[in-house]
Amino acid sequence: MSPALSAVHKSRLTQLEELEAESIFIMREVVAEFENPVMLYSIGKDSSVLLHLAMKAFYPAKPPFPLMHIDTTWKFREMIEFRDQRARELGIDLIVHSNPDGIGNKITPFTHGSSKYTDLMKTEALKQALSKYKFDAAFGGARRDEEKSRAKERVFSFRDNNHRWDPRNQRPELWKVYNSRINKGESIRVFPLSNWTELDIWMYIHKENIPIVPLYYAKQRPIVHRDGMMLMIDDDRFPLNPGETPKMEQVRFRTLGCYPLTGAMYSEADTLEAIIGEMLESRTSERQGRAIDHDQSGSMEKKKKEGYF
Amino acid sequence: MSAVPMQTSQVRQFIGRQETKGLLRFITCGSVDDGKSSLIGRLLHDSQKILEDHMAAVKADSQRWGTQGEQIDLALLVDGLQAEREQGITIDVAYRYFDTERRKFIIADTPGHEQYTRNMATGASTADLAVILVDASRGVQVQTRRHSFIVSLLGIRHVIVAVNKMDLVNYDHAVFQNIAAECRHFMRTLGIQDVRVVPVSALMGDNVVKPSLNMPWYEGQPLLEILDTVDVSDDRAEDLRFPVQYVNRPNAEFRGYAGTLVAGHVRVGDQIMSLPSRKTTKVKEIVTYDGSITEASAPMAVTLTLEAEIDITRGDLLAHPDRAPTVAREFDAHLIWMAEQPLLPGKQYEFKISNQYVRGTVQRIDYRVDVNDLSRHAAGELKLNEIAVCRIALNQAVAYDVYDLCRETGSFIVVDRMNNATAGAGMIRRSAAVKAHEVHGNVYTEKLEITRQQRANQKSQQPCILWFTGLSGAGKSTIANAVEQELFRRGYHSYLLDGDNVRHGLNRDLGFTDNERVENIRRIGEVSRLFVDAGLIVLTAFISPFRSDRRMVRELVEAGEFIEVYVSTSLEVCESRDPKGLYNRARQGQIQNFTGISSPYEAPEAAEIMLDTSKLHVDDCVAKIIEYLEASGRLKL
C-alpha cells in the first residue's frame, strides 16, 4: 500500500491561475505525444492568449511548433501587421496559407456571399494547409462558452482523414487523461482554452499585460452602415453601394475576422480597463458581430462537421 | 451602448474581485423528465448571466421547439446540438459557465438516460460536487440510485440533492421529508458524507437562486448559495505527486522536467524520488516563465531542474521518498466500459495512466456491478455502460495511488488498439494481493538470469514464431510438420503447437464462444512467447481467423519475431479436400460457427509469407519458408 495520504486545505490558486495551469498541461501533452503539431493563429485576442500560454508552457525553450495563419486575404491590415510583428518579436516560425483556388477564382465576400466565401477561404484553406504540412495536431483558440455546439467539444477533438468532426462519435474524455492515439492521416484539434470564458480572456490579458491588435481599442475609423452592421472600410476593395459614404466614427471591435464581415461597435473604450468596464455592462454576446453564425440556428454545428475550426 | 460607462474605480474593484475568485466544478445529474435543463437554465438566467442575444434566440426557438407553451423554455438555453433538440433529449456532456461574486462555476451537464452511463462518468470525473435531481412528484427512482453510485464511484464527496417540481406537490413538506430521508440513507451506504437536500422548483424559481416564499418550512440555503459557499478544500491529497509530462531540453545546459503538480507541494532543496526507478536527488530550481520560485503547490504547472542527472522520462512520477506511491504491474480497479465492442479479458489494450501509455490486459473480471441495485454478478465480458471490478495486469510496472486517495494518479483510460477508441475508464481500488513484480523499499532482488540472447546463441538461431493461418484443410499442419522436420534435420531447435497438443491439454477448458476463442489464442500466444524466450523456433497451426487475435500475438513479441504464414488455399479447394469431413457437416448445419461457412475468415493484409497449396507442392512451401528464415537471419548454422 502507498502511505496514507492525509488531506490539507486546497491550494490557494485563483480560477485564472487554475485555467492557466490547465491550458499549459494540455499544450505540453500535445507536444509530448504528437509528431507534428501546429498552432492555428487567428491574430485575435484568444490567439494572443494562446500564444502567451505557449510561451509559458515551454519556457525557457520557445514553443516547439510553428504558428499558422489561414489568410483569407480580407483580414484587417492592422491584423497582418500585428501578426508579423509578434512572430518576429517572439522568434517563432509563422506559416501563412491562402487558398490558391480561391484567389485564382477571385472569390470575395461581396461576390460569392459570406457562406461560400467562408467555406472556400477559411474551411477549405485550412484543410489544404493541414494536409499540405501533414500536421497531426492543431491548437485552436475556441472556447466552449462561445456558442452552443462548442459546449460539447472535447479538448482533444478527433478529426478523420477528411478533417471532419462527428459530434455523435466523440471519444469520451475523462479527468485530464487525453487520448492522443490516431492513425496516419487522422488528426486532433486541441482546444486549450475550452474552459475559459470571454471575461476570463480579458481578465488574463489585463493580468498578464498581453499585446492585442489595436482594433480592439476605440478609435475614429471609416465606417459604413450595412445590413444592421457597422463595417470598416479598410482598403479600396470595398465596393460601396449607391448612397454609401464612409464616415469617421468612434468604434472598436469585439471580435476580429475578415473586415467586410466583421461588425464594429460604438465605443469610447480606449484602454483595457475601459473595455472590461464596457463588457460588464454589455448585454450582447460577442459572436453577434459575425455574420457567419446568424444564417441559421445550428449553423456553427454544420460548419464544424465540415471541418471549420 | 445606452448604459452609462462604469467608473474606472468600479472597474478596478471588479478586476480585483475577479482575480481572487476560486473555481468550483460540478455535475448535474437527472433524467429527461426531472427538469435538469430547466434547473440549469434557471441558474444561468437568475444569476443574470444570460446575454440578451442568446435570450432573443431562445425566444425564437421556444416557439419552434418549446415544451412550455407560450412561456420561454429555459431548457433551450442548455440543450446544445441540433440533433438532440429535435429529439428533445440531451445526448452528450455539455459544459456551461457562469460566475457569481465569489466563484466561477463550470457545470458538466450530463444526460440521465440509462444508456448514457459513460457520459455521466465523463462529467463526474472532473467535478468536485454533484447536483442530483429528483422529481418530487415521482420520488426516488432507480436512476437516482444509479446516479448516486456513479457519483460516488468517480470520487465526488459532496452531493446536493435538488428535489425538483415541488410546485407539482403543492410545496408539501412531508413529501420532501420522505424523499430527503431516503436519499440521505442510501448516500450514506455509498460513503458520501456531505449530503444536502434542497426543495426547489426550477420552473418557478423556488430555492434555486432566491429563497422560496412557498416553502417557509425549509430553513436551509437555496441551491446557488450552497454552491457559492460549499467547502471542497479537503478533497485534495497532500503528498507530492508530480507526473513528468515533458522533458524540456532547449540546449545542452538546460534539462528541465515539465509537469503539473497533481497533489502536494514541492520546495527547492527537497529530496525527491523518481518512480518507478526509485532513484533520488534534490530539486535544484522551480522554473516558470515569470521567474523561478521557491515553492510550488497543486495544481500548478511548472518545470523542475534537479541536482543530479538521473534518467527520468515522460511518465515517471516524482514524489518525496518517504511518501512515495505504490509501484506495481498489477492492481484491482473499477472499470467502466464505454465501447460498443465488449471488453474481453486477456485481450491486449493500451492503458494511459499518469501521462504514459502502457500495454496490458484485463486479466479477469472479478464481478460486474449492477448500477441499479449494486448487486454483483459473474461476467465473462463487459458491455457498453457496464461497470465491473477487474484485475489489471500491465506489461510494465507503473507508479500509482489508490483513486480514493488521489484521483489523478489513481485513474486511467483504456484504449482499444484496433480503432484507437477510448474504450474504458478505470479507478484503482487497491494493489493486487500478490505483488510479484512490486519493488519493495529500496532493495532490489538481484536476478542472475540467463538472457534470451544467450539461449538463442547457444542454439545458433534467432527464435521466432511461424504463425500458420488459413482455412480448415488448407494444409497448415502438413506444411508446419514438414518445416519442422527440415529444421530438425538441419540441427535447429523448434516446437510445433497445434490443435492436438493444445486443445486437448492446456486449453481443454475452453469452448468456442467469442471470448473463449480469444482466450485460446491468447494462451497459445503466451506459450509461444515463452518458447521464443527459451530460444526456440515456434510453429503454430491454427485457423486463427481473426486479424485482431493474430495482431495480439504479434505484439507480444519483439518486432520481426512474429512471422505470419498465410496458407491461402481457397475455400473451394479446402472444401473439396475436406480431410475430416468437417465441411460436409458444417454445410448440413451440424457444426456451428465453422470458419468459411458460417463464420468469417479475415485474411492477413500483409503476411510475411503467402502459400497457395493448390499451386505449390509441400516441398516448395517448405523451401520458401526456409529461404525466408535464412534471409531474415534466423538460421545461423
Side-chain angles (χ1 to χ4, degrees):
Chain A
M1 274 303 291
S2 62
L5 303 169
S6 56
V8 281
H9 37 261
K10 196 165 182 160
S11 79
R12 302 259 175 236
L13 293 201
T14 65
Q15 66 107 359
L16 274 182
E17 289 166 334
E18 272 202 48
L19 289 176
E20 177 190 82
E22 179 178 275
S23 302
I24 289 175
F25 175 85
I26 292 163
M27 288 184 176
R28 289 170 171 175
E29 200 64 4
V30 169
V31 167
E33 298 211 332
F34 290 87
E35 284 172 15
N36 192 18
V38 66
M39 178 170 281
L40 295 180
Y41 181 68
S42 72
I43 322 175
K45 63 186 192 304
D46 302 294
S47 279
S48 288
V49 168
L50 204 59
L51 181 54
H52 184 75
L53 289 165
M55 294 301 291
K56 287 197 161 192
F58 302 99
Y59 180 83
K62 294 261 165 65
F65 43 75
L67 302 181
M68 184 164 78
H69 178 227
I70 300 303
D71 191 349
T72 59
T73 71
W74 289 92
K75 299 295 174 190
F76 290 93
R77 285 176 298 168
E78 281 175 87
M79 290 174 72
I80 302 301
E81 277 165 32
F82 181 85
R83 174 194 77 188
D84 295 343
Q85 188 194 336
R86 285 303 283 159
R88 218 172 28 243
E89 283 166 0
L90 299 174
I92 299 178
D93 287 342
L94 171 72
I95 298 169
V96 177
H97 179 86
S98 302
N99 181 354
D101 307 336
I103 294 172
N105 289 316
K106 298 197 164 47
I107 303 291
T108 80
F110 304 106
T111 48
H112 292 77
S114 78
S115 113
K116 187 167 186 190
Y117 161 80
T118 302
D119 179 52
L120 285 166
M121 298 310 285
K122 289 175 98 170
T123 310
E124 203 46 46
L126 174 63
K127 289 200 259 182
Q128 281 171 357
L130 291 173
S131 301
K132 179 178 171 191
Y133 296 100
K134 299 194 166 47
F135 293 120
D136 52 2
F139 291 107
R143 293 175 278 111
R144 285 178 181 146
D145 83 322
E146 276 177 67
E147 203 269 344
K148 273 185 193 170
S149 81
R150 295 235 194 250
K152 308 191 168 191
E153 180 74 272
R154 303 299 191 258
V155 174
F156 275 44
S157 185
F158 177 80
R159 301 298 149 106
D160 69 11
N161 277 315
N162 298 313
H163 308 289
R164 280 171 195 271
W165 179 66
D166 179 1
R168 287 193 170 271
N169 193 20
Q170 298 199 77
R171 293 174 176 175
E173 200 163 78
L174 291 96
W175 304 287
K176 284 170 191 163
V177 190
Y178 302 113
N179 179 354
S180 53
R181 290 304 201 221
I182 51 168
N183 291 322
K184 210 169 158 35
E186 296 166 346
S187 62
I188 302 275
R189 303 256 176 111
V190 185
F191 303 108
L193 304 180
S194 285
N195 284 324
W196 296 58
T197 61
E198 188 190 12
L199 182 58
D200 295 330
I201 293 289
W202 283 116
M203 297 309 302
Y204 191 71
I205 288 170
H206 179 267
K207 176 172 172 280
E208 300 282 311
N209 202 11
I210 300 171
I212 51 171
V213 183
L215 291 160
Y216 285 113
Y217 297 107
K219 199 181 136 182
Q220 290 283 315
R221 296 186 168 95
I223 294 293
V224 295
H225 293 250
R226 187 184 285 184
D227 303 330
M229 296 214 300
M230 288 197 284
L231 299 175
M232 175 175 158
I233 310 302
D234 197 44
D235 57 37
D236 54 15
R237 292 180 295 170
F238 194 108
L240 292 171
N241 292 338
E244 274 181 351
T245 335
K247 208 173 91 194
M248 295 303 281
E249 307 208 58
Q250 183 80 2
V251 296
R252 67 180 191 89
F253 294 87
R254 277 187 81 176
T255 66
L256 296 179
C258 300
Y259 83 80
L261 297 174
T262 307
M265 61 190 275
Y266 287 123
S267 171
E268 299 296 328
D270 53 2
T271 66
L272 209 47
E273 281 174 356
I275 290 176
I276 292 169
E278 207 174 78
M279 222 193 94
L280 291 175
E281 293 164 22
S282 136
R283 295 273 109 197
T284 47
S285 82
E286 61 186 313
R287 293 203 73 86
Q288 201 182 49
R290 288 198 194 167
I292 166 175
D293 295 338
H294 291 303
D295 301 355
Q296 174 194 346
S297 186
S299 70
M300 179 60 88
E301 184 189 340
K302 253 192 202 157
K303 288 190 184 67
K304 273 161 57 87
K305 281 188 195 165
E306 289 156 7
Y308 183 74
F309 226 86
Chain B
M1 298 286 301
S2 54
V4 182
M6 275 175 114
Q7 299 298 312
T8 312
S9 60
Q10 282 178 289
V11 175
R12 290 205 176 126
Q13 253 178 27
F14 171 82
I15 291 173
R17 275 201 308 275
Q18 200 64 24
E19 285 189 345
T20 56
K21 264 184 200 176
L23 182 63
L24 183 81
R25 299 177 198 242
F26 69 94
I27 176 177
T28 51
C29 336
S31 81
V32 186
D33 309 316
D34 297 331
K36 177 165 57 75
S37 295
S38 304
L39 181 72
I40 297 172
R42 175 62 69 182
L43 268 179
L44 301 180
H45 181 266
D46 286 10
S47 62
Q48 311 200 344
K49 283 292 159 190
I50 292 169
L51 303 169
E52 261 179 16
D53 65 326
H54 280 182
M55 216 50 217
V58 168
K59 274 177 191 154
D61 281 353
S62 291
Q63 285 158 18
R64 207 157 145 211
W65 310 110
T67 54
Q68 299 300 325
E70 290 300 300
Q71 261 184 305
I72 290 172
D73 188 352
L74 288 174
L76 289 169
L77 279 169
V78 176
D79 294 336
L81 300 182
Q82 220 167 34
E84 60 193 86
R85 257 191 281 169
E86 278 156 25
Q87 291 166 22
I89 53 160
T90 314
I91 55 172
D92 205 336
V93 190
Y95 296 88
R96 318 279 166 202
Y97 304 83
F98 73 103
D99 58 331
T100 60
E101 288 280 297
R102 299 176 63 127
R103 276 181 171 162
K104 168 172 164 173
F105 297 95
I106 301 179
I107 313 177
D109 178 19
T110 61
H113 196 270
E114 183 149 23
Q115 59 184 301
Y116 297 115
T117 297
R118 80 172 185 187
N119 292 328
M120 227 197 100
T122 301
S125 71
T126 50
D128 304 308
L129 176 146
V131 175
I132 297 177
L133 269 94
V134 177
D135 181 339
S137 65
R138 296 191 308 152
V140 171
Q141 302 283 304
V142 168
Q143 60 137 343
T144 315
R145 294 170 189 275
R146 182 163 71 225
H147 296 157
S148 308
F149 172 60
I150 296 171
V151 158
S152 72
L153 193 65
L154 270 295
I156 295 178
R157 299 177 187 189
H158 309 271
V159 169
I160 302 174
V161 179
V163 181
N164 192 23
K165 305 195 186 178
M166 286 301 293
D167 53 310
L168 292 187
V169 296
N170 299 317
Y171 301 105
D172 186 343
H173 191 190
V175 170
F176 173 75
Q177 277 177 315
N178 287 338
I179 293 173
E182 200 177 343
C183 288
R184 285 184 195 283
H185 174 71
F186 69 76
M187 296 283 178
R188 210 172 300 125
T189 64
L190 290 169
I192 300 170
Q193 303 292 332
D194 181 17
V195 181
R196 297 139 201 252
V197 193
V198 187
V200 302
S201 167
L203 201 62
M204 301 303 169
D206 298 272
N207 281 334
V208 179
V209 172
K210 294 174 212 130
S212 167
L213 299 176
N214 295 311
M215 293 176 277
W217 44 263
Y218 175 69
E219 290 170 349
Q221 299 163 295
L223 182 61
L224 184 65
E225 216 173 294
I226 300 176
L227 292 171
D228 232 3
T229 55
V230 63
D231 182 11
V232 295
S233 63
D234 62 348
D235 292 1
R236 197 164 257 152
E238 75 164 354
D239 288 342
L240 169 67
R241 293 293 181 262
F242 184 87
V244 173
Q245 201 184 358
Y246 175 69
V247 182
N248 198 354
R249 297 204 67 183
N251 53 55
E253 282 82 58
F254 188 89
R255 187 186 186 92
Y257 301 98
T260 297
L261 284 94
V262 298
H265 302 255
V266 68
R267 290 167 199 85
V268 170
D270 277 5
Q271 184 87 11
I272 51 130
M273 176 182 272
S274 171
L275 286 304
S277 77
R278 304 192 71 85
K279 290 192 176 122
T280 58
T281 181
K282 282 184 176 167
V283 175
K284 189 164 139 196
E285 205 179 354
I286 304 172
V287 178
T288 81
Y289 177 86
D290 302 299
S292 292
I293 51 179
T294 55
E295 181 180 350
S297 61
M300 289 168 69
V302 297
T303 300
L304 303 181
T305 63
L306 304 175
E307 293 284 357
E309 287 242 341
I310 57 176
D311 187 28
I312 297 175
T313 57
R314 172 172 163 85
D316 289 349
L317 197 130
L318 305 184
H320 289 129
D322 54 338
R323 314 290 282 172
T326 311
V327 175
R329 212 174 61 84
E330 296 187 4
F331 46 77
D332 291 334
H334 271 115
L335 196 61
I336 303 175
W337 201 246
M338 303 183 158
E340 295 286 346
Q341 278 187 325
L343 160 79
L344 297 180
K347 184 177 163 179
Q348 289 262 324
Y349 293 96
E350 271 195 309
F351 294 77
K352 190 177 184 190
I353 175 166
S354 279
N355 298 350
Q356 65 184 322
Y357 291 90
V358 180
R359 284 187 193 165
T361 63
V362 173
Q363 208 170 57
R364 58 158 199 265
I365 299 172
D366 288 339
Y367 55 85
R368 180 176 65 77
V369 183
D370 185 321
V371 291
N372 293 328
D373 58 12
L374 307 192
S375 58
R376 299 174 177 189
H377 304 269
E381 59 176 36
L382 210 55
K383 295 194 194 71
L384 177 64
N385 289 316
E386 289 185 338
I387 298 173
V389 170
C390 305
R391 167 66 53 88
I392 311 288
L394 303 178
N395 293 358
Q396 68 184 70
V398 294
Y400 65 83
D401 290 293
V402 170
Y403 185 78
D404 281 348
L405 295 179
C406 184
R407 272 176 161 188
E408 289 83 357
T409 49
S411 54
F412 58 88
I413 60 167
V414 186
V415 178
D416 187 324
R417 302 171 56 217
M418 297 303 146
N419 55 18
N420 294 324
T422 304
M427 292 134 287
I428 299 174
R429 297 180 73 218
R430 58 168 178 239
S431 304
V434 183
K435 292 180 263 186
H437 299 263
E438 189 167 349
V439 181
H440 291 283
N442 286 319
V443 185
Y444 272 95
T445 323
E446 201 62 44
K447 280 199 213 160
L448 290 172
E449 57 182 23
I450 302 162
T451 66
R452 54 189 283 157
Q453 195 52 50
Q454 287 171 306
R455 293 178 205 276
N457 292 347
Q458 189 192 38
K459 298 176 181 65
S460 297
Q461 63 189 34
Q462 282 298 319
C464 61
I465 303 172
L466 285 166
W467 188 277
F468 291 80
T469 173
L471 295 168
S472 175
K476 299 180 297 295
S477 290
T478 309
I479 300 168
N481 260 301
V483 170
E484 199 183 22
Q485 284 172 34
E486 179 60 22
L487 288 171
F488 187 83
R489 197 184 63 73
R490 295 183 177 212
Y492 294 104
H493 302 260
S494 64
Y495 193 76
L496 171 64
L497 292 169
D498 65 13
D500 287 339
N501 60 19
V502 172
R503 271 281 180 194
H504 295 159
L506 178 67
N507 290 356
R508 190 171 51 195
D509 57 323
L510 297 179
F512 291 89
T513 65
D514 275 356
N515 43 9
E516 283 171 319
R517 278 167 185 257
V518 172
E519 177 62 12
N520 180 45
I521 297 296
R522 187 192 71 82
R523 287 186 197 175
I524 293 163
E526 289 288 352
V527 170
S528 303
R529 185 172 68 138
L530 288 176
F531 283 177
V532 165
D533 271 349
L536 297 180
I537 294 171
V538 185
L539 304 93
T540 68
F542 300 92
I543 298 172
S544 48
F546 300 117
R547 268 181 217 128
S548 58
D549 292 355
R550 298 193 298 263
R551 200 158 124 183
M552 172 172 85
V553 180
R554 186 184 285 270
E555 279 155 0
L556 280 177
V557 293
E558 303 291 317
E561 288 181 350
F562 183 88
I563 300 163
E564 201 166 4
V565 183
Y566 176 31
V567 185
S568 66
T569 316
S570 69
L571 179 64
E572 294 68 34
V573 175
C574 292
E575 195 165 356
S576 68
R577 289 177 185 165
D578 207 6
K580 299 174 191 162
L582 296 174
Y583 282 97
N584 191 20
R585 287 172 58 202
R587 287 284 183 205
Q588 291 175 8
Q590 289 167 14
I591 306 176
Q592 305 297 311
N593 296 329
F594 192 79
T595 303
I597 306 293
S598 48
S599 179
Y601 177 79
E602 299 171 3
E605 283 165 336
E608 277 78 4
I609 302 171
M610 195 158 136
L611 308 166
D612 183 351
T613 62
S614 62
K615 300 196 177 90
L616 293 171
H617 186 265
V618 178
D619 294 344
D620 303 327
C621 295
V622 173
K624 234 179 138 172
I625 291 170
I626 297 289
E627 206 174 288
Y628 181 91
L629 292 176
E630 282 174 341
S632 57
R634 299 279 147 197
L635 308 179
K636 302 240 166 116
L637 271 179

